[in-house]
Amino acid sequence: ESGEVKLVETNEDLFQILNNARDKFAAQMDEKNITFAVEFSNVRNNFVRCDKDKLNKVLDNLIANAYKFTSIGGKVTITLKQLGSEIENIGNYELSVRDSGTGMTPEFAQKVFEPFEREENPSILVKSAGLGMTIAKDIVELMHGKISVFTKKGDGTEFVINVKLAFSN
């Protein structure tokens, strides 16, 4: 009611969250013959404290965009890496969503997280309000994390989230 968004952290399994996200989008990806995979790299602590609903919202936005901008026969990969920890019981995690889609111009990539920004693309029939990436960025920042975009027009896009998460028991 106050307009403030707060994290509601619970004990969660990152493997389960990402596998559920994959399962949620699997049928859509199959329709476009998109190779869709979830990969884990060096994840030693998959049980963490996080706001599952907000993390799912971020994943939904990133995966939906990857689907939307990836052509038939393309590829979308979600990767979770644990990068180490300088603080006891807290892990540094890198979560990425990479696609082989249309990519973005450098000019649009600089403003992709701004509200209501959309890159006009005549080959994409689905329209949006241009808020998904803004919401994703706001949630990641609420988690004290950082989201970055790496893209090249005609060569796909990768969104990378870096966040610290406390281990759960």
Side-chain angles (χ1 to χ4, degrees):
E1 290 179 21
S2 67
E4 286 187 40
V5 178
K6 296 184 179 177
L7 294 176
V8 179
E9 294 182 340
T10 52
N11 294 336
E12 300 296 340
D13 179 353
L14 291 173
F15 292 166
Q16 182 179 19
I17 290 171
L18 295 182
N19 285 326
N20 287 345
R22 181 198 57 222
D23 294 348
K24 180 178 180 179
F25 285 89
Q28 275 182 279
M29 297 292 183
D30 283 346
E31 286 176 14
K32 282 177 69 174
N33 196 29
I34 294 173
T35 302
F36 185 40
V38 174
E39 299 173 351
F40 302 99
S41 176
N42 203 35
V43 179
R44 298 170 308 283
N45 306 94
N46 55 300
F47 292 99
V48 297
R49 303 249 336 135
C50 70
D51 187 321
K52 178 178 160 183
D53 292 338
K54 288 186 181 58
L55 181 55
N56 279 327
K57 182 69 174 166
V58 171
L59 286 168
D60 285 353
N61 285 331
L62 295 177
I63 297 167
N65 272 4
Y67 169 80
K68 193 182 328 181
F69 292 102
T70 299
S71 299
I72 293 171
K75 184 174 183 178
V76 174
T77 305
I78 303 168
T79 304
L80 177 68
K81 298 177 185 174
Q82 189 171 345
L83 303 176
S85 178
E86 65 271 349
I87 303 170
E88 190 174 346
N89 296 319
I90 296 179
N92 293 320
Y93 294 88
E94 180 179 280
L95 175 63
S96 73
V97 176
R98 174 188 279 283
D99 66 59
S100 64
T102 58
M104 295 178 236
T105 63
E107 296 78 22
F108 182 71
Q110 290 180 345
K111 56 186 179 178
V112 69
F113 298 111
E114 294 176 16
F116 307 110
E117 288 294 335
R118 296 179 306 185
E119 187 169 39
E120 293 306 316
N121 187 331
S123 67
I124 305 302
L125 301 175
V126 179
K127 298 295 179 189
S128 73
L131 290 173
M133 293 299 98
T134 303
I135 291 167
K137 180 178 185 272
D138 289 348
I139 291 171
V140 170
E141 288 178 350
L142 185 65
M143 298 169 67
H144 305 290
K146 179 183 177 197
I147 186 169
S148 307
V149 61
F150 303 92
T151 186
K152 183 178 179 188
K153 192 71 177 166
D155 196 31
T157 298
E158 180 178 26
F159 285 93
V160 178
I161 297 166
N162 292 95
V163 65
K164 293 178 185 345
L165 299 171
F167 305 144
S168 66
N169 297 338

